[in-house]
Amino acid sequence: MVRYAFSPAPTPSVAIDGSEERFPIRRVFCVGRNYAAHAREMGKDPDREPPFFFTKPADAVCDAGGAVPYPPLTDDLHFEMELVVAIGTGGHDISVAHALEHVWGYSAGIDLTRRDLQAEAKEMGRPWDWAKGFDFSAPVAPLVPVARTGHPASGRIHLAVNGETRQDADLADQIWPVPDIISICSRSVRLAPGDLIFTGTPAGVGAVLPGDRLEGGIAGVTGISVTLAPRA
């Protein structure tokens, strides 16, 4: 029997739509610049080069639907609306043809980013961890099992701030669709049940302030809402 020096922290998890059960989170992978228009607005070439990944801590994920605190150390907090893939069956070096067999379900998530810290890190050639992996930086709506969503390859993805639409695109605009993302990610690390993959954001990202209300959705999957509370 394993004995710990102190009680381990609870396992991070996210709600499951229509169930009292929760989905335990193992790791969180995020794809950068997976929509051409967003790549351009960030000053990058959207040619179909291999996608790059960054990570967030599992406990950065929080349930959407309520309030999340505006984080410290930033005056330029940005929203990034994304399709989230929940992995239910693990594997390494997964083929594109079999990638969707590993999906448990889907949801909508918001990748909150301290853009000023990210810009500073890029300028100095440093990691993005402080810009991307802070507390409450990944609100996720309740996961919906794949039996109810199918595998969405197209459909509207959108986000409004205080009722004003800021992001409005289609999943079909992704440079790398979900099967490719799963396959490419699995070449580098062994995926396992409980992994989440944020699949990139469309154009229209921007800054938000304490008190702002973020509402959006992904057609055929789910909606999401978050209110920014005062600074943590």
Side-chain angles (χ1 to χ4, degrees):
M1 181 178 178
V2 177
R3 297 180 62 186
Y4 297 102
F6 52 88
S7 297
T11 299
S13 64
V14 66
I16 296 173
D17 187 63
S19 174
E20 294 183 0
E21 294 182 336
R22 295 183 64 84
F23 186 89
I25 302 171
R26 177 175 177 261
R27 291 183 293 188
V28 181
F29 302 100
C30 306
V31 181
R33 296 195 295 267
N34 196 29
Y35 290 77
H38 174 60
R40 292 189 187 98
E41 76 177 350
M42 300 303 289
K44 301 298 180 180
D45 187 339
D47 285 348
R48 201 171 187 260
E49 60 185 14
F52 70 91
F53 294 82
F54 59 92
T55 62
K56 287 177 179 271
D59 62 2
V61 175
C62 60
D63 288 327
V68 298
Y70 193 97
L73 303 181
T74 185
D75 292 308
D76 194 20
L77 181 69
H78 280 215
F79 56 84
E80 299 186 10
M81 177 69 174
E82 309 200 14
L83 173 70
V84 178
V85 180
I87 299 297
T89 304
H92 176 63
D93 203 16
I94 299 167
S95 70
V96 172
H98 293 285
L100 295 181
E101 298 170 12
H102 296 260
V103 176
W104 186 94
Y106 294 92
S107 189
I110 301 174
D111 170 15
L112 292 174
T113 302
R114 295 192 280 203
R115 193 71 75 198
D116 42 3
L117 298 192
Q118 184 187 38
E120 180 181 352
K122 288 179 179 179
E123 178 69 23
M124 302 182 74
R126 293 177 176 176
W128 294 4
D129 300 59
W130 244 222
K132 290 285 192 177
F134 53 93
D135 297 339
F136 306 102
S137 63
V140 175
L143 293 174
V144 184
V146 71
R148 288 165 50 194
T149 63
H151 294 289
S154 63
R156 188 186 184 208
I157 175 171
H158 62 99
L159 185 77
V161 178
N162 300 327
E164 178 185 351
T165 299
R166 304 284 290 276
Q167 293 185 279
D168 199 343
D170 195 289
L171 294 177
D173 297 333
Q174 289 184 333
I175 299 171
W176 294 92
V178 170
D180 296 83
I181 290 170
I182 292 173
S183 178
I184 293 168
C185 187
S186 76
R187 296 173 196 167
S188 180
V189 297
R190 178 174 291 276
L191 294 176
D195 289 343
L196 298 181
I197 304 176
F198 280 64
T199 60
T201 194
V205 301
V208 284
L209 298 169
D212 284 347
R213 174 83 170 169
L214 283 59
E215 296 178 285
I218 300 173
V221 180
T222 191
I224 188 170
S225 63
V226 167
T227 300
L228 291 174
R231 290 180 183 271

